[in-house]
Amino acid sequence: WRDANARRALRPAPRTGRRRPAGATVASESKNPHSENDASRFVLPTMSLASVAPVAMASGPGMLSKKTWAVVGNHAKNPVVERITNRLKSNGKDVHRVNSPGKSTPPAEFNFLGDVPGEIDVVDVVCAPAMGALVVEEASRLGIKHVWFQPGADDPVLVARAKALGMETHCGCVLVDLPSGANL
C-alpha cells in the first residue's frame, strides 16, 4: 500500500488545459455578429510577413512630447503596465488605463479606447500582438495617429498594419526612453 501511494505521488500532475467541446464555437466564430463579446466586433486583416515592407517609425521623443496617453494592457497582472503608467504620470502626462480587448478587470478605468473621454494623443500597446491587432484597428477607427509598441507587442506585421492605416509608430520601452522625472 505504501509503495502504491509513493508511485502515485511521483506521477506528473494531470493537464488542466481546457478543450473546447465538439461543435462549440468561440465568440469570433459565432454566427451572431453582435455577440456578447465586444472584441468580436473587430475584423482583422490577413497579412503575411512576406508582404511586410520595412516600416518607417516616428521618433520616440516626438511621441514622448504628447500630453494624453492610453496605456493598453493587463493592469491587474502585469506589473510593467503599471510601471509604465506611473512613469508617464510622473512626467506630467494625462494617462488613461485601458484593458486589453475583451478584458474587464480593475484597476483599468476603461475596457476599450472608445470608452475614454476626450482625445488620445498616443496609444501605448503593452499586450500580445493578437490583442494589439484589435487595439490598432480600434485606434485607427477613432482617428488616433500615434502608437507606441512596447517590446513583445512590436510584431512586424502589426507595426506594418498600423503604418498602413496611416499611424506613426515607435517600438521601444517607455521605461527606457523616458527618464524618471524628465517632464518632456
Side-chain angles (χ1 to χ4, degrees):
W1 182 80
R2 186 175 296 160
D3 292 336
N5 284 339
R7 280 194 305 270
R8 203 173 299 126
L10 294 175
R11 287 184 193 153
R15 297 180 80 178
T16 59
R18 289 192 221 166
R19 291 192 177 174
R20 196 172 0 155
T25 60
V26 293
S28 62
E29 298 172 340
S30 173
K31 291 181 174 68
N32 179 0
H34 303 291
S35 69
E36 294 171 13
N37 182 355
D38 285 339
S40 69
R41 65 183 173 191
F42 299 104
V43 177
L44 299 178
T46 304
M47 293 179 69
S48 71
L49 205 47
S51 67
V52 176
V55 177
M57 291 186 268
S59 70
M63 284 193 202
L64 289 174
S65 67
K66 304 290 182 189
K67 181 76 174 152
T68 308
W69 287 62
V71 179
V72 181
N74 190 336
H75 292 266
K77 293 185 179 177
N78 188 343
V80 174
V81 178
E82 279 305 296
R83 286 182 59 205
I84 291 166
T85 301
N86 293 336
R87 176 71 57 90
L88 289 165
K89 284 183 177 182
S90 72
N91 281 278
K93 310 297 181 197
D94 295 330
V95 183
H96 301 285
R97 297 174 177 171
V98 181
N99 279 312
S100 298
K103 309 265 186 208
S104 59
T105 55
E109 301 148 336
F110 305 101
N111 290 327
F112 294 97
L113 292 172
D115 297 341
V116 176
E119 189 174 320
I120 298 170
D121 296 325
V122 182
V123 173
D124 190 355
V125 180
V126 197
C127 53
M131 295 282 197
L134 299 174
V135 174
V136 166
E137 295 296 324
E138 184 180 16
S140 173
R141 267 196 359 264
L142 295 171
I144 298 169
K145 295 294 181 194
H146 302 90
V147 182
W148 185 294
F149 293 98
Q150 292 294 135
D154 57 353
D155 179 72
V157 174
L158 182 55
V159 175
R161 177 65 181 154
K163 210 49 186 162
L165 291 170
M167 300 172 162
E168 290 186 36
T169 64
H170 179 76
C171 297
C173 181
V174 167
L175 298 173
V176 172
D177 294 346
L178 182 61
S180 188
N183 278 326
L184 294 177

